Amino acid sequence: MDIPRIFTITESAHRIHNPITPEKLATLGAALRLESGARVLDLGSGSGEMLCNWARDHGITGTGIDMSRLFTEHAKLRAVELGVADQVAFIHGDAAGYVSDEKVDVAACVGATWIAGGVAGTVELLARSLRTGGIILIGEPYWRQLPPTEEIAKGCLATAIADFLTLPELLASFDRLGCDVVEMVLADQDGWDRYEAAKWLTMRRWLDANPGDDFAKEIRAKLTSEPVRYATHTRDHLGWGVFALMPR
């Protein structure tokens, strides 16, 4: 079980696998008013930066589940580096359908709602692990401005315009799911640039180190096209945020 190799190459140097910055991640932790000892479940935990930082800064305990062997190992190393290995655990596994044995204070899926077929399914899945009065965290893209054509939407790596909602539509969708939106932290332009542009140096370094690899042709093509694709499409059209929800 693992994620496609393209991600373990392009994001191998990332600590955060979405456009949120470390500063925004800290803002989110403070905004949630996390208390020492709070239990957090993170489905699609990536390299563990959220759980590890919140364990250090707020004293939470937590469990992260991720399909990537590489990112899970990175998360375990990060926990040791920050001195929180006794507070957080990272499991290499499929987060789809995962329900915690013990109810948690925060149940999160930050950027991987595909695990339950989209936002609605992910909210339902997370709610199964949540204590009464707990908070669900959903990380999700939205259209900053609607693409004028399906071709431009595909340039944002969507399959169609219908893949994402505008920000007001996304917030309204949470209400229809029976949840109050109680906080949100949105990625900014710098966060997007850091997330996307950091991949380019990683790809170039990988190509220099692996010229004969069977995957080199695909990485070369991606490195050649990605800067212009991102600047032309994603940078102006796509937003991203983490939304805190409380079921009614």
Side-chain angles (χ1 to χ4, degrees):
M1 179 187 299
D2 210 337
I3 62 175
R5 190 182 182 198
I6 188 68
F7 297 109
T8 59
I9 291 175
T10 61
E11 298 192 26
S12 60
H14 282 53
R15 282 185 171 165
I16 302 174
H17 301 278
N18 57 61
I20 201 168
T21 60
E23 294 77 17
K24 293 273 188 176
L25 197 60
T27 296
L28 177 61
L32 296 178
R33 307 171 196 174
L34 295 168
E35 296 182 357
S36 179
R39 294 185 299 275
V40 181
L41 173 67
D42 189 7
L43 301 185
S45 50
S47 294
E49 196 70 2
M50 184 174 80
L51 285 181
C52 289
N53 275 267
W54 289 358
R56 178 196 62 192
D57 297 341
H58 301 285
I60 63 100
T61 63
T63 302
I65 319 292
D66 200 273
M67 288 183 66
S68 170
R69 292 183 185 276
L70 176 65
F71 298 162
T72 302
E73 287 306 310
H74 285 179
K76 293 176 180 179
L77 292 172
R78 185 63 167 156
V80 172
E81 180 183 1
L82 295 187
V84 295
D86 60 336
Q87 295 169 244
V88 292
F90 295 98
I91 300 169
H92 172 243
D94 188 355
Y98 186 92
V99 178
S100 176
D101 292 334
E102 185 178 8
K103 296 294 185 181
V104 300
D105 300 286
V106 178
C109 181
V110 179
T113 57
W114 50 267
I115 66 171
V119 170
T122 303
V123 168
E124 189 278 331
L125 173 61
L126 293 172
R128 293 165 62 190
S129 295
L130 195 68
R131 70 163 177 82
T132 301
I135 290 176
I136 290 171
L137 290 183
I138 293 287
E140 184 72 3
Y142 60 88
W143 294 121
R144 292 179 59 201
Q145 55 178 324
L146 280 174
T149 67
E150 295 289 351
E151 182 179 359
I152 291 175
K154 291 176 181 178
C156 298
L157 303 183
T159 61
I161 294 173
D163 282 2
F164 306 126
L165 302 172
T166 64
L167 182 57
E169 290 169 342
L170 181 57
L171 294 172
S173 76
F174 296 135
D175 176 66
R176 291 192 295 272
L177 293 174
C179 294
D180 292 322
V181 181
V182 296
E183 257 294 357
M184 70 178 186
V185 174
L186 305 182
D188 57 20
Q189 199 67 76
D190 182 63
W192 269 108
D193 291 348
R194 291 298 80 243
Y195 172 59
E196 293 289 347
K199 301 175 188 178
W200 309 337
L201 180 57
T202 300
M203 285 190 281
R204 176 54 194 266
R205 296 290 194 224
W206 185 91
L207 284 168
D208 289 348
N210 300 275
D213 194 286
D214 291 342
F215 213 54
K217 184 176 180 180
E218 183 169 342
I219 297 297
R220 163 44 61 194
K222 194 169 185 68
L223 176 57
T224 300
S225 62
E226 275 297 283
V228 173
R229 182 207 62 77
Y230 167 65
T232 303
H233 299 295
T234 300
R235 201 170 193 271
D236 288 337
H237 290 93
L238 201 61
W240 195 88
V242 184
F243 304 90
L245 317 174
M246 293 183 70
R248 290 195 287 271

